[in-house]
Amino acid sequence: MNIPDPFSLSYHSARLLQESLKSNDLLAGKLVHARVIKSGLHFSVILLNNLMNFYSRTGCFSDAQLLFDEMPVKTIFTWNTLLSSYSRQAKMSEATEIFRKIPNRDSVSWSTIIMGYNQMGRFQSALKLFDKMIKERVIPTQYTITSVLASCAAIKALDVGREVHSLVVKFGLSSYVSVVNSLLNMYAKSGDPMMTRVIFDRMEYRNTSSWNVMISLHMQHGRVDLARGQFERMSERDIVTWNSMIAGYNQLGHDFDALCTFSNMLRDSLLLPDKFTFINALSACANLEMLKLGKQIHARIASTNFNTFGPVGNALISMYAKSGGVQIAQKIVEQSGISRLDIIAFTSLLDGYVKLGDLKPARQIFDSLKDRDVVAWTAMIVGYLQNGLNTDAVELFRLMVRDGPKPNNFTLAAMLSVSSSLTSLNHGKEIHAIAIRTGQASLVSVNNALITMYARVGSINCARKVFNRIYWFRDIVSWTSMIMALAQHGLGEEALEHFEKLLAAGIKPDHITYVGVLSACTHVGLVEQGSRYYNMMKDFHKIEPTLSHYALMVDLLGRAGLIQEAYDFIEKMPIEPDVVTWGSLLSSCKVYKNVDLGKVAAERLLLIDPDNSGAYSALANLYSVCGKWDDAAKIRKLMKDGGVKKEQGISWVQIKNKFHVFGAEDGLHPQKDEIYKMMAKIWEDIKKMGFVPDTQSVLHDLEEEVKEQMLRHHSEKLAIAFALISTPENTTLRIMKNLRVCNDCHSAIKFISKLSGREIIVRDATRFHHFKDGFCSCRDYW
């Protein structure tokens, strides 16, 4: 009987282990191990190294460790195999300990530990180890370099990447395509497109990965045509190539092109879509609200038994939620589990419910989320804000401050918008205090929101303080917010001064800035300046006017009494005038009693919006001020017959965090007797001071005494009377009204401010009025 010699048996066993490893056959490998022991070959270092490698690569890490511990002789391969085993398990503390114990570390040892840190996402640690490797004069391999360059790309460490590039040249590693591709990727992701292009052009051999990097680079910088050109020149494309094109189109807003590319891939390629393909295709469907196509993609995903948990499931939820299939999205959530819902899918679902006006299901999902981060909280708050549920937004924010994550700048900006909507100075100050406490008050975005909030709740001085505090950090939004704020408060000249300072600072205004500038001119009657700025916007800054700009120009001319010029301006508009534009002309016609053009404006307005109660009321009021009572009565009858209801004028005031709302002749307030008694006293006192009721403001054919009584009980006057009996002396009163303040109330409030010694700030439908010592900030031009 021939007994094989130990060398042949050792060689045969090593070959069997390699075959077992290729087929991932653990049982076969263990049988080889048993044969090694039985044959007395367990002292062969080479064979034991092969066994260790087998156990490590097949996931039997404990067996690999046990074998290592029993080995009488350990080579560098032995140590590196064990090191690789722990690195592969992401047990970097154990791997580091083994690395320190290796007697004579070679380039494989260094590469293994560096790759482990890189794969764990600990890129800085990987780069520090590489630096130490070079200092110890260990020559890196192509594997070391590709791993280090991947770490540089991940954290955009361009300077370190350039140093690694010099080492690539020094050690002659430029001939490896994998190394050059890693350099391409590093420069592309670290912000040096020029060097990326240079390296690509100099490459003698390019593989698919080389081309993929260039496509991603071009898409990253918005160069769609160049990316498409590279794509079309490729002879071979892999799934990364197609995904780079689809994702690039999707991220740049070319969603239709993304879907066409997806379709071409299915038609022309044998490649199967992966999760990234489906995610970007579904995102494009969501953006285009293409529910039918989205359903077809969903059907394909289902037919291939693709895993719909995780990112793909979230992409499906987002697509259905954004495309009008909220109920289907809800079913997917229920099937896959709320715990798997990511923030993008949640916000899409929330947006879907906001569009339906039903936030109850969204709140249930929010309450069920396991890991509610600041984005989820903010999204829910914004959902409430967009649906006008300001009280719910406030309650949720307070819960967030108490039990949730620290609010970020987006959360605070949303809550400041809530304060603006509630016209609550106290609540706005509370948010401001939280911003200071959480370290957000230094952020420009938060300060911009603070400027807007303070302006909208009537505290222009606080808005100024915030604006002045960010002197060195102002952006276009800061300037625009302040210009708009000053315009709202009738401080047109100051607003224009700020605009000139903006121009002097070399900041280019945008179309919103010009809305503020034209509004400022409108509120103080600066017709020439307004016309000049309008022309500057078009001719110098090349900003195409929007309907907002056109409406403001009509308002500017109309308020100044240039009714015919305003009408001529409308007739020359290159786009169809909207309700606001015709409404501005109609309001001016009423002020200046131009019945003919007023009738034209009302008719054109009602063609656009037949149920616009404001148009009927304005035309009826125009007839009334001109003494055409019969015509006014006919318009009111038309309103009644058409079921058009006039918007009720209301005013409200906040006292001790509670809002008190008043209508004209209001008899519902629990303190109505005190309010009416106070108003009667005020009325008599201001008449003694020289106030004369403007009975012409009552646009009905009634006795003078009845008209005066109606004027006395206008909603803003009742709100002021209540505020006077409910607040300490010298307190500023802040009154809000949903319609434009009438002439009589405007005149009366000037006298009341002098009588009471109070500043009274009234915000009506178009602007703020600051009444103090018998004068108004608008200088009677509103």
Side-chain angles (χ1 to χ4, degrees):
M1 181 177 178
N2 292 326
I3 300 173
D5 65 274
F7 177 79
S8 298
L9 190 59
S10 179
Y11 173 79
H12 183 62
S13 297
R15 190 169 58 79
L16 286 174
L17 278 173
Q18 291 297 323
E19 289 176 1
S20 300
L21 184 60
K22 284 180 182 178
S23 60
N24 199 31
D25 191 338
L26 182 59
L27 179 60
K30 288 196 171 186
L31 288 172
V32 173
H33 190 176
R35 185 177 178 182
V36 166
I37 296 170
K38 188 175 180 180
S39 304
L41 298 174
H42 53 285
F43 293 108
S44 168
V45 176
I46 295 174
L47 199 52
L48 290 177
N49 282 342
N50 272 278
L51 272 168
M52 263 195 73
N53 184 55
F54 170 79
Y55 283 128
S56 175
R57 299 287 290 275
T58 54
C60 298
F61 303 114
S62 57
D63 291 327
Q65 177 68 60
L66 188 63
L67 192 59
F68 175 84
D69 293 338
E70 292 175 351
M71 287 176 69
V73 178
K74 301 177 177 72
T75 65
I76 188 64
F77 182 87
T78 316
W79 284 99
N80 287 342
T81 302
L82 187 66
L83 178 64
S84 176
S85 173
Y86 280 102
S87 292
R88 200 174 289 122
Q89 295 177 75
K91 293 182 177 179
M92 294 313 297
S93 57
E94 292 90 338
T96 303
E97 189 61 31
I98 292 163
F99 178 75
R100 288 183 183 137
K101 291 178 181 178
I102 297 175
N104 296 298
R105 296 182 292 238
D106 62 3
S107 60
V108 177
S109 313
W110 286 96
S111 297
T112 302
I113 192 74
I114 288 169
M115 287 169 68
Y117 277 115
N118 178 64
Q119 289 165 2
M120 279 282 290
R122 295 172 63 179
F123 306 115
Q124 291 286 5
S125 298
L127 295 181
K128 285 177 183 177
L129 276 167
F130 178 71
D131 182 57
K132 192 174 180 182
M133 175 185 181
I134 298 302
K135 286 176 180 175
E136 292 192 14
R137 299 184 182 280
V138 180
I139 297 175
T141 66
Q142 69 267 33
Y143 305 109
T144 325
I145 293 296
T146 54
S147 187
V148 170
L149 287 171
S151 292
C152 292
I155 57 175
K156 295 181 172 58
L158 183 58
D159 291 339
V160 179
R162 285 171 176 155
E163 290 176 18
V164 176
H165 191 176
S166 68
L167 293 173
V168 168
V169 176
K170 179 180 178 180
F171 295 121
L173 299 171
S174 302
S175 59
Y176 293 97
V177 178
S178 59
V179 171
V180 182
N181 283 341
S182 295
L183 280 168
L184 273 177
N185 184 57
M186 183 277 295
Y187 280 117
K189 289 184 177 176
S190 301
D192 192 344
M194 188 177 294
M195 194 63 189
T196 312
R197 182 81 235 184
V198 169
I199 293 171
F200 182 80
D201 290 341
R202 289 179 180 175
M203 288 179 74
E204 292 182 9
Y205 172 74
R206 301 171 185 140
N207 62 13
T208 306
S209 296
S210 316
W211 289 92
N212 290 345
V213 171
M214 294 307 296
I215 289 171
S216 294
L217 174 68
H218 291 316
M219 284 297 193
Q220 181 185 333
H221 290 273
R223 297 190 291 260
V224 175
D225 291 342
L226 290 177
R228 189 185 294 117
Q230 298 274 26
F231 177 80
E232 290 172 353
R233 285 168 60 193
M234 292 177 69
S235 56
E236 291 184 13
R237 299 166 183 151
D238 60 13
I239 191 63
V240 177
T241 315
W242 288 97
N243 285 345
S244 297
M245 289 299 295
I246 295 167
Y249 280 133
N250 174 228
Q251 290 162 11
L252 291 170
H254 298 262
D255 296 298
F256 187 76
D257 290 323
L259 292 173
C260 287
T261 305
F262 174 67
S263 175
N264 292 340
M265 174 187 160
L266 298 179
R267 187 190 65 210
D268 301 336
S269 169
L270 296 175
L271 295 167
L272 294 175
D274 64 9
K275 68 177 181 179
F276 300 107
T277 324
F278 284 128
I279 288 167
N280 286 293
L282 288 168
S283 175
C285 289
N287 293 337
L288 295 171
E289 298 185 8
M290 296 180 72
L291 182 60
K292 186 177 179 180
L293 182 57
K295 284 182 176 180
Q296 291 173 2
I297 295 173
H298 189 182
R300 185 179 184 91
I301 292 169
S303 67
T304 55
N305 294 318
F306 204 89
N307 184 1
T308 56
F309 292 110
V312 175
N314 281 303
L316 281 167
I317 292 165
S318 296
M319 182 277 293
Y320 280 118
K322 287 183 176 179
S323 305
V326 179
Q327 289 78 12
I328 303 174
Q330 178 71 42
K331 286 180 182 177
I332 296 173
V333 172
E334 292 167 359
Q335 290 168 2
S336 59
I338 290 173
S339 61
R340 298 177 184 270
L341 196 65
D342 70 8
I343 188 58
I344 297 173
F346 170 69
T347 51
S348 299
L349 200 54
L350 177 61
D351 187 54
Y353 284 118
V354 168
K355 288 177 181 175
L356 293 175
D358 182 11
L359 288 184
K360 189 176 179 181
R363 181 58 188 266
Q364 289 172 347
I365 293 171
F366 172 80
D367 290 338
S368 302
L369 287 173
K370 280 186 178 179
D371 301 313
R372 294 182 297 190
D373 61 7
V374 66
V375 181
W377 284 86
T378 304
M380 193 69 233
I381 288 169
V382 170
Y384 280 132
L385 173 62
Q386 290 175 343
N387 235 41
L389 301 170
N390 295 312
T391 304
D392 294 287
V394 171
E395 288 175 0
L396 184 61
F397 176 73
R398 286 176 177 157
L399 182 65
M400 179 184 185
V401 171
R402 192 186 70 206
D403 301 328
K406 185 176 82 170
N408 64 14
N409 56 323
F410 298 105
T411 323
L412 294 172
M415 288 311 302
L416 289 168
S417 183
V418 170
S419 302
S420 300
S421 299
L422 292 172
T423 59
S424 174
L425 178 61
N426 292 340
H427 184 262
K429 285 183 174 180
E430 181 186 332
I431 305 301
H432 192 171
I434 291 171
I436 294 169
R437 196 165 64 242
T438 57
Q440 307 279 340
S442 60
L443 297 174
V444 176
S445 59
V446 173
N447 282 284
N448 293 342
L450 281 168
I451 292 169
T452 301
M453 181 277 294
Y454 278 124
R456 288 183 179 174
V457 299
S459 185
I460 191 64
N461 288 331
C462 287
R464 278 198 193 97
K465 287 177 183 176
V466 173
F467 181 75
N468 292 335
R469 192 175 62 233
I470 57 169
Y471 183 86
W472 298 107
F473 308 102
R474 296 170 186 160
D475 59 12
I476 184 60
V477 179
S478 314
W479 286 98
T480 300
S481 299
M482 197 64 223
I483 290 167
M484 296 278 278
L486 292 165
Q488 279 183 322
H489 286 263
L491 302 168
E493 290 89 349
E494 188 179 346
L496 298 182
E497 286 174 15
H498 277 68
F499 181 65
E500 292 296 337
K501 288 177 182 176
L502 177 153
L503 296 177
I507 300 172
K508 183 182 177 182
D510 60 17
H511 69 285
I512 302 173
T513 316
Y514 271 108
V515 168
V517 169
L518 294 177
S519 180
C521 294
T522 297
H523 286 309
V524 290
L526 300 174
V527 178
E528 288 185 15
Q529 289 95 320
S531 299
R532 181 166 59 85
Y533 286 128
Y534 174 77
N535 291 327
M536 180 191 290
M537 175 184 75
K538 289 193 306 173
D539 303 333
F540 184 74
H541 287 121
K542 306 299 180 186
I543 296 172
E544 197 66 32
T546 66
L547 281 167
S548 296
H549 300 114
Y550 289 125
L552 282 165
M553 284 303 295
V554 171
D555 201 22
L556 173 66
L557 295 167
R559 283 173 186 262
L562 303 171
I563 308 296
Q564 187 61 50
E565 288 84 344
Y567 177 74
D568 293 341
F569 182 89
I570 293 174
E571 289 296 295
K572 292 175 184 176
M573 282 172 57
I575 56 177
E576 276 298 312
D578 61 358
V579 168
V580 179
T581 308
W582 286 115
S584 297
L585 180 64
L586 181 54
S587 295
S588 299
C589 288
K590 178 197 160 189
V591 173
Y592 291 98
K593 301 181 181 180
N594 190 321
V595 175
D596 294 336
L597 284 179
K599 188 176 179 182
V600 171
E603 287 172 352
R604 297 290 289 273
L605 195 161
L606 290 169
L607 281 174
I608 303 170
D609 183 6
D611 296 324
N612 191 300
S613 63
Y616 285 106
S617 296
L619 185 57
N621 292 343
L622 173 57
Y623 284 135
S624 296
V625 296
C626 295
K628 297 188 175 186
W629 302 109
D630 291 341
D631 291 330
K634 287 177 184 176
I635 297 298
R636 293 193 176 98
K637 187 175 185 303
L638 277 175
M639 284 182 70
K640 186 177 179 181
D641 294 343
V644 180
K645 292 185 178 180
K646 178 184 175 182
E647 184 179 3
Q648 179 68 36
I650 58 170
S651 299
W652 62 97
V653 61
Q654 185 182 15
I655 306 292
K656 295 180 181 177
N657 294 323
K658 183 178 178 182
F659 287 95
H660 298 261
V661 183
F662 299 88
E665 301 286 346
D666 198 301
L668 299 176
H669 196 279
Q671 291 176 258
K672 63 179 183 298
D673 294 337
E674 296 173 65
I675 294 168
Y676 276 84
K677 186 177 178 181
M678 169 59 85
M679 193 60 240
K681 183 177 184 306
I682 290 171
W683 195 255
E684 292 305 316
D685 288 345
I686 61 175
K687 284 173 74 174
K688 289 175 184 176
M689 293 170 65
F691 168 68
V692 177
D694 181 13
T695 53
Q696 288 189 347
S697 293
V698 180
L699 302 173
H700 297 277
D701 192 10
L702 301 168
E703 296 294 329
E704 289 295 302
E705 187 177 334
V706 176
K707 286 184 177 182
E708 188 173 323
Q709 182 179 329
M710 290 175 69
L711 291 171
R712 189 165 68 237
H713 296 155
H714 273 191
S715 63
E716 51 266 63
K717 295 190 181 88
L718 296 178
I720 290 170
F722 172 70
L724 286 170
I725 63 176
S726 305
T727 57
E729 289 186 12
N730 301 319
T731 304
T732 298
L733 307 185
R734 300 175 191 276
I735 312 297
M736 307 296 161
K737 180 164 183 175
N738 64 328
L739 303 178
R740 184 178 180 274
V741 65
C742 74
N743 292 339
D744 183 78
C745 285
H746 191 270
S747 178
I749 298 170
K750 286 196 290 184
F751 280 93
I752 296 171
S753 70
K754 189 171 185 179
L755 173 70
S756 62
R758 307 274 199 112
E759 181 179 5
I760 303 172
I761 300 173
V762 177
R763 191 190 81 176
D764 69 7
T766 58
R767 63 176 296 157
F768 279 90
H769 299 264
H770 292 254
F771 297 93
K772 192 172 183 181
D773 297 328
F775 296 94
C776 179
S777 58
C778 74
R779 290 173 282 187
D780 298 337
Y781 188 91
W782 85 102

